[in-house]
Amino acid sequence: MKTLSLKAAVAAALLGLSLGASAKPLVVCTEASPEGFDIVQYTGAVTSDASAETVLNRLVDFTPGTTDIQPGLAKSWDISEDGKTYTFHLREGVKFHTTEYFKPTRTLNADDVLWSFMRQFDAKHPWHDKSTMGYPYFESMAMGDLIQSIDKLDDMTVRFVLKRPEAPFLRDMAMPFTSIYSAEYGDQLLKAGKTADLNSKPIGTGPFVFVRYSKDAQVRYKANPDYYKGKPPADPLIFAITVDNNVRAQKLRANECQVAVYPKPDDVPGIKADPQLKIAEMDALMTSYVAINTTHKYLSDVRVRQAIQMAFDKQTFVRTLFGEGNATPGVGPYPTTLLGYNHSLKDLPYDPDKARALLKEAGVPEGTSFTIFARNGSSPTNPNSSLAAQLLQADLARVGIKLDIRVLEWGELIKRLKLGEHDLAFYGWAGDNGDPDNFLSPNLTCEAAKNGENAARWCNKEFDALVSQAREATEPAARAAFYEQAQVIFLKEQPWLSLAYPRVFSAMRKNVEGFHISPMTNNNFATTQVK
């Protein structure tokens, strides 16, 4: 059977031809290729959408469009009075996907939960060393230091015992890296010597069954007929990888895709005016920044980092890149709406003369060159990477610093950042659980610096201690106080050039229903349909 092109497949499905009269396809123009499908190896939002939000499920879910938690694969849970023991009661009868490469013999049980967590937690687990990327989220959040034990109480009950109370733990359990895999599938792959298949042929309990991935072109799924929440109305679901946001908009208008993620902010008014299209938008839990590699020559000096801040015309940058009202200039490491945001923080003033003086004081020669990495295409945290890099390049040139701009594909950018090859890098973060810790622990702690997730490679013991104390505190006021103090250190040390807190947009055809835009920018299409 010949493979249809994306355009032909969509046209055929819309006409009810080769894909079946009852098929209701949904094509989503996405902004980049997934790094893989074994989500525990990655932290990227694109990869999460392609795996955690489609193929996999977790014990706890977020209510669509919110940061509120609700039951997932666990139908309920109990928490001990001391806040250190969590007992999860699993949902009965949840089926794993049946594909050409895997036929499950049983439904979800506690063995699957243990397999999924012990793989990351226990160095002696037979799968622990099979990850080529390690377990960046699990490691950055120091979950190995937090968890004392994970026990199977019976086939449908799992108990987590923590070494200390951890305020965001339940929200953490709804994050992509806690996705539940099939232990039976894992055993099959291990026995066959095909452990790499976990990253290319995923199996889960999620709303969509993986069909195939055509690299840098599309990911194709079919609706899971046995999904425990009911078969999704979109079938098939196709992610059409479209790096350029202008091309995404063109495909949306031509009905080659029915949803186009992350349009350019200045395209939003035109989309709203089009009678065939509509926009979903909201203030997101998202921050845009430039990571400054604090281990590199000159950049290890806080005076140089301060000079970069003072040479940067942030107000003009945000207005040019995002347009009026689509982003707030950034100061701290996370958005103003989250617990403990320190509203007393003030940016260093835009002062090129002072910046030049600081560079001279730090012994930085005139004409010193730094490399800055930027991704190709666009994202909600950087709608025009090339323009962003050019604006910063021009600002720093005025104080005698040259920027060598290197534009990389998204997966290559992440790989090189983890290796620490950059001097500076445009980056961004979308919160995964609605808690401040999610911005700080994975991105700015010493543990995250070790595995390269902390792109600034910044390690400050006092900052780390405050973040740890905030995690352990149970009262919101106490947690907020620790976070406020941590942000003072962040601003003083300037490991990032904080850019903006953007709004998030998704564009779609008028006849698309059931899509819930998320403040955490994850895209889940389990309830989305084309009417």
Side-chain angles (χ1 to χ4, degrees):
M1 180 178 179
K2 293 182 178 179
T3 301
L4 294 173
S5 70
L6 174 62
K7 190 171 183 179
V10 174
L14 289 172
L15 292 170
L17 298 176
S18 64
L19 295 177
S22 62
K24 296 178 181 178
L26 175 66
V27 182
V28 180
C29 283
T30 61
E31 83 277 26
S33 299
E35 302 152 88
F37 297 90
D38 182 14
I39 187 57
V40 300
Q41 298 193 49
Y42 309 105
T43 60
V46 171
T47 303
S48 177
D49 284 354
S51 54
E53 298 297 331
T54 47
V55 178
L56 299 160
N57 289 125
R58 288 146 295 286
L59 295 176
V60 179
D61 281 339
F62 289 108
T63 303
T66 78
T67 59
D68 300 327
I69 55 174
Q70 64 180 19
L73 294 179
K75 61 184 180 181
S76 64
W77 51 83
D78 306 310
I79 306 173
S80 64
E81 287 188 10
D82 64 4
K84 294 195 290 186
T85 301
Y86 290 74
T87 304
F88 293 93
H89 306 281
L90 303 184
R91 195 178 297 275
E92 295 86 358
V94 176
K95 296 181 179 180
F96 283 99
H97 300 157
T98 295
T99 67
E100 293 179 356
Y101 49 89
F102 179 64
K103 306 291 190 291
T105 64
R106 60 168 178 78
T107 56
L108 171 83
N109 67 29
D111 292 333
D112 303 304
V113 178
L114 258 66
W115 189 96
S116 302
F117 282 92
M118 296 304 285
R119 172 192 175 198
Q120 303 179 72
F121 177 64
D122 183 3
K124 296 179 181 179
H125 191 278
W127 270 82
H128 184 77
D129 62 353
K130 305 305 179 188
S131 167
T132 58
M133 304 296 291
Y135 303 100
Y137 233 136
F138 191 90
E139 294 162 0
S140 297
M141 296 179 69
M143 296 296 282
D145 294 329
L146 169 66
I147 297 171
Q148 179 173 305
S149 63
I150 309 171
D151 304 300
K152 172 184 174 179
L153 301 187
D154 59 43
D155 280 351
M156 303 307 291
T157 312
V158 178
R159 180 181 64 199
F160 287 73
V161 179
L162 310 183
K163 296 176 183 177
R164 59 182 183 272
E166 181 88 348
F169 182 73
L170 205 53
R171 290 179 180 275
D172 292 345
M173 297 299 280
M175 290 167 56
F177 80 98
T178 69
S179 293
I180 305 303
Y181 293 70
S182 164
E184 187 179 16
Y185 183 49
D187 291 343
Q188 173 184 305
L189 294 179
L190 187 65
K191 184 177 180 179
K194 296 182 177 181
T195 55
D197 282 6
L198 195 69
N199 199 29
S200 60
K201 297 178 178 179
I203 289 291
T205 59
F208 295 97
V209 180
F210 176 82
V211 176
R212 66 176 177 270
Y213 170 43
S214 301
K215 186 171 173 56
D216 300 329
Q218 63 169 272
V219 189
R220 182 177 287 264
Y221 310 86
K222 63 181 180 181
N224 179 6
D226 300 316
Y227 187 45
Y228 78 91
K229 293 184 180 180
K231 182 181 177 181
D235 193 12
L237 171 66
I238 301 167
F239 285 179
I241 299 161
T242 315
V243 174
D244 190 297
N245 48 18
N246 292 316
V247 177
R248 292 200 295 274
Q250 292 166 10
K251 287 187 174 183
L252 181 68
R253 288 191 167 93
N255 200 26
E256 291 180 33
C257 55
Q258 290 74 55
V259 177
V261 299
Y262 315 136
K264 288 192 300 185
D266 54 5
D267 283 345
V268 168
I271 293 171
K272 288 181 176 179
D274 190 319
Q276 299 300 317
L277 307 178
K278 61 183 177 181
I279 284 280
E281 61 183 293
M282 72 187 315
D283 289 327
L285 299 178
M286 190 161 56
T287 186
S288 172
Y289 63 92
V290 172
I292 303 173
N293 193 330
T294 60
T295 65
H296 281 193
K297 186 177 181 180
Y298 299 128
L299 298 175
S300 61
D301 190 324
V302 69
R303 293 171 296 181
V304 178
R305 302 196 296 271
Q306 289 171 343
I308 291 172
Q309 298 276 352
M310 299 181 82
F312 177 53
D313 185 355
K314 186 180 297 186
Q315 298 294 330
T316 298
F317 178 93
V318 172
R319 186 169 57 251
T320 303
L321 201 66
F322 294 94
E324 293 291 345
N326 295 325
T328 303
V331 180
Y334 60 74
T336 60
T337 53
L338 284 178
L339 176 72
Y341 182 86
N342 192 331
H343 290 275
S344 69
L345 296 182
K346 302 295 180 186
D347 249 341
L348 290 173
Y350 172 55
D351 190 339
D353 292 336
K354 176 64 174 175
R356 186 178 284 274
L358 279 172
L359 291 169
K360 184 176 181 181
E361 182 183 313
V364 180
E366 181 86 13
T368 292
S369 180
F370 296 124
T371 60
I372 185 163
F373 289 0
R375 67 180 291 176
N376 63 342
S378 61
S379 71
T381 57
N382 196 339
N384 191 330
S385 294
S386 296
L387 175 60
Q390 291 163 16
L391 289 169
L392 182 58
Q393 183 185 54
D395 280 349
L396 295 188
R398 295 187 186 99
V399 299
I401 292 177
K402 295 180 180 179
L403 274 191
D404 176 17
I405 301 170
R406 299 185 184 179
V407 179
L408 304 168
E409 182 271 329
W410 175 236
E412 185 69 14
L413 173 70
I414 292 175
K415 183 170 72 174
R416 293 196 178 197
L417 288 185
K418 289 182 178 180
L419 293 172
E421 295 179 5
H422 60 294
D423 291 320
L424 300 96
F426 279 99
Y427 217 39
W429 188 259
D432 289 305
N433 68 1
D435 193 277
D437 181 71
N438 182 244
F439 284 81
L440 306 182
S441 288
N443 294 309
L444 287 163
T445 58
C446 298
E447 192 65 37
K450 290 178 186 176
N451 64 21
E453 285 300 310
N454 177 344
R457 300 296 176 97
W458 178 66
C459 174
N460 183 287
K461 298 295 186 182
E462 186 181 356
F463 177 91
D464 261 30
L466 289 165
V467 172
S468 294
Q469 288 172 291
R471 281 200 302 263
E472 295 175 31
T474 55
E475 292 297 325
R479 296 190 73 209
F482 289 128
Y483 288 135
E484 288 174 6
Q485 295 173 60
Q487 288 165 77
V488 171
I489 297 171
F490 169 87
L491 193 66
K492 179 182 177 182
E493 289 288 312
Q494 303 282 0
W496 291 357
L497 179 59
S498 293
L499 301 177
Y501 310 127
R503 286 178 68 79
V504 65
F505 302 93
S506 284
M508 62 200 75
R509 305 286 299 181
K510 268 281 173 65
N511 59 342
V512 171
E513 297 180 359
F515 174 73
H516 301 279
I517 193 167
S518 167
M520 296 171 288
T521 71
N522 55 306
N523 293 294
N524 185 298
F525 300 100
T527 60
T528 308
Q529 61 181 316
V530 180
K531 296 293 285 188

